[in-house]
Amino acid sequence: MSTQYDRFLIGGRWTAPSSGEEIVLVSPNNEQRLATVAAGVHADIDAAVAAARAAFDAPDGWPNWPADKRAAAMETLADALDRRSEQLAQAVSTQNGMPVTIAGQLEAVFPQLLLRYYAQLACAEEFSSERPGLLGGQTTITRTPVGVVGAIVPWNFPQVLGAFKYAPGLAAGCTFVIKPAPETVFDAVLFAEAVAESDIPPGVINVVPGGRETGAYLVAHPGIDKVAFTGSTQTGREIATVCGGLLRPVTLELGGKSAAIFLDDADLDLGVIGEKLFAATLLNNGQTCFLGTRILAPRSRYTEVVDVVTALAASLTVGDSLDPATQIGPLVSSRQRDRVESAIAAAASSGARLTTGGTRPFDTGWFVSPTVFADVDNDTSIAREEIFGPVLTVIGYDDDEDAVRIANANDYGLGGSVWTTDPQRGLAVAKGVRSGTVGINHYLPDPTAPFGGVKASGLGRELGPEGLAAYLETKSIYQPAG
């Protein structure tokens, strides 16, 4: 299959960019130029929004299709993505440094899982119900699609986090303008090819890659009815300000600085917990919003926990993201590597004790060795700010109550985990953590359960029936008695 990267999918057609704006893609593995691709500008967004509006407003448009017909079309998109699964994994890994094995497990399969889940949910969902009134008569409650959605997708999990938005939105009957990140255009075009090959009608999904200014234009566009964004908290605040002024619904999945709490009865055998601890703390080179990068350790076992976390980080294979043996690949850009290295330097100067890592393992590529700091104060920047790299801190605590207090003493609240051999005790501690999600002895978001954050980690929920509800508007139609 031949893929062209200098085109957009707008209104079901491959469209040439309206300007000469370009995005230069550089390999994080070797710093060599990969390609120069087209970047969308305002005129491209205008055309995409118009196409999505037409597909939504037409008498036979997407929201007026029966739920089972929409579901069948969604299944064909899942099938088209299945046929490209290996290409998608390779594309993502090439661009953002995600180890290709992880890309194959997540980016290549999770979107299809979500499409099929929401296709089934759409068929089972009640979009209209009757309710008897206290004042006589009855009320018909309808739930209808919110309209045209502007979806802004980040570079760290571009396929998965795109599907977080379009899968429930399609099931609800919404149409989309998707703006992929400029760092991940190859996989975005492969996704657009799958859309064009599927039974999704023209204009229901439009794909226009672009930079920050293009995203800002999409957020404020008068033809958009809802915004769905995943990215940094700073950008999320800016989007929230615009949407608040427009009274426009918005879902924001933002940053995190989650706590992984080891209780004093936790199993510290890496042979037992190693794989799950890695996934909960260092997945995708640390470029994952929900990771438990603050390790909270009981003082009675502090040294043991430091040793285990250090051993895990030091044992990981660092290398080219396209090598199946790689567990930690490069960071997405030189700018991101510089940011991570700056955080490491600040931690060292604050008195934290480096136990492993903190170096560049290779002369080329944007690599940082997995890094662990012990003796960290929860009030220092390394413990408070999201780093988005393979850097962990170990913080001591006195008892379960103190652990919860430290976990909650942070501006973020997206993920977290509790490690214990007593599930009921773990559940009690997890309930005390102020976060949108918490795992016990692992961390893995499930498609059937709502995902999202509190505090500076965002607004709204994705996944589960709640994710579908986020793309529906509720209307009450009052009918008199008799």
Side-chain angles (χ1 to χ4, degrees):
M1 186 191 314
S2 176
T3 298
Q4 294 178 264
Y5 298 108
D6 57 348
R7 57 185 182 165
F8 309 138
L9 183 66
I10 298 176
R13 297 180 179 179
W14 292 110
T15 304
S18 60
S19 81
E21 293 287 328
E22 293 181 332
I23 299 167
V24 177
L25 295 177
V26 177
S27 167
N29 289 302
N30 57 29
E31 304 179 38
Q32 299 298 307
R33 179 177 290 203
L34 294 169
T36 300
V37 299
V41 294
H42 294 184
D44 302 305
I45 293 296
D46 288 338
V49 172
R53 175 56 60 192
F56 186 86
D57 288 342
D60 60 347
W62 183 248
N64 295 319
W65 283 30
D68 60 345
K69 186 178 179 183
R70 286 202 303 269
M74 291 169 64
E75 292 277 1
T76 68
L77 177 54
D79 293 341
L81 290 172
D82 278 340
R83 289 189 286 273
R84 292 166 173 80
S85 59
E86 185 174 347
Q87 289 177 287
L88 286 164
Q90 292 282 326
V92 171
S93 180
T94 297
Q95 297 167 107
N96 72 3
M98 179 186 294
V100 70
T101 301
I102 294 173
Q105 295 169 346
L106 296 176
E107 292 289 282
V109 298
F110 207 77
Q112 298 92 296
L113 180 67
L114 288 179
L115 280 165
R116 292 176 175 125
Y117 167 71
Y118 279 107
Q120 293 178 355
L121 200 60
C123 293
E125 191 74 11
E126 293 290 340
F127 292 98
S128 180
S129 61
E130 306 291 336
R131 188 178 302 172
L134 291 177
L135 304 179
Q138 67 177 12
T139 302
T140 299
I141 312 297
T142 64
R143 297 197 298 159
T144 56
V146 70
V148 177
V149 179
I152 300 178
V153 181
W155 51 259
N156 61 327
F157 289 90
Q159 289 302 306
V160 170
L161 293 175
F164 272 33
K165 296 158 182 55
Y166 67 73
L170 291 176
C174 295
T175 59
F176 280 80
V177 177
I178 298 176
K179 190 205 78 67
E183 294 87 352
T184 45
V185 177
F186 293 167
D187 61 291
V189 175
L190 289 169
F191 168 73
E193 286 182 352
V195 172
E197 185 179 288
S198 75
D199 293 340
I200 301 292
V204 171
I205 297 178
N206 306 273
V207 182
V208 181
R212 184 182 181 89
E213 184 180 342
T214 303
Y217 185 73
L218 176 61
V219 167
H221 199 286
I224 293 295
D225 299 306
K226 174 184 169 70
V227 173
F229 170 79
T230 298
S232 72
T233 295
Q234 178 182 347
T235 302
R237 292 185 193 278
E238 296 170 7
I239 291 173
T241 298
V242 173
C243 290
L246 295 171
L247 297 180
R248 177 169 294 169
V250 60
T251 299
L252 301 171
E253 197 269 278
L254 308 177
K257 191 69 178 179
S258 304
I261 304 173
F262 279 82
L263 300 185
D264 56 18
D265 65 347
D267 188 340
L268 298 181
D269 182 352
L270 284 178
V272 176
I273 68 168
E275 185 176 342
K276 292 179 180 178
L277 182 59
F278 167 76
T281 59
L282 289 165
L283 182 70
N284 192 20
N285 317 328
Q287 298 177 141
T288 307
C289 51
F290 59 65
L291 291 179
T293 54
R294 289 185 296 148
I295 309 292
L296 305 192
R299 300 197 191 280
S300 61
R301 302 186 70 188
Y302 186 82
T303 300
E304 290 179 80
V305 174
V306 170
D307 290 346
V308 165
V309 174
T310 300
L312 172 66
S315 72
L316 299 173
T317 300
V318 182
D320 190 302
S321 64
L322 293 169
D323 184 342
T326 292
Q327 295 168 290
I328 296 289
L331 299 178
V332 69
S333 66
S334 60
R335 178 182 177 185
Q336 185 63 19
R337 182 188 59 186
D338 291 346
R339 183 173 181 270
V340 171
E341 289 181 331
S342 176
I344 291 172
S349 65
S350 73
R353 173 167 56 94
L354 179 69
T355 65
T356 190
T359 61
R360 296 184 182 184
F362 309 115
D363 293 334
T364 58
W366 297 318
F367 294 88
V368 174
S369 297
T371 301
V372 178
F373 282 99
D375 305 336
V376 174
D377 187 317
N378 194 54
D379 291 329
T380 57
S381 62
I382 192 86
R384 301 197 66 82
E385 299 173 4
E386 185 176 43
I387 297 172
F388 232 56
V391 181
L392 304 178
T393 62
V394 187
I395 302 167
Y397 71 85
D398 296 323
D399 53 26
D400 291 6
E401 183 178 349
D402 192 38
V404 171
R405 179 190 65 78
I406 293 172
N408 291 338
N410 191 274
D411 292 337
Y412 296 102
L414 181 59
S417 55
V418 182
W419 302 81
T420 177
T421 53
D422 183 342
Q424 291 306 309
R425 184 183 175 197
L427 182 61
V429 171
K431 287 180 177 180
V433 176
R434 190 167 179 231
S435 178
T437 61
V438 182
I440 298 176
N441 293 326
H442 82 309
Y443 184 92
L444 181 64
D446 190 280
T448 66
F451 175 83
V454 299
K455 299 187 284 186
S457 289
L459 299 170
R461 293 293 181 267
E462 297 181 310
L463 302 184
E466 293 81 0
L468 176 60
Y471 291 91
L472 295 168
E473 292 180 328
T474 303
K475 178 188 291 186
S476 296
I477 303 173
Y478 308 117
Q479 301 177 69

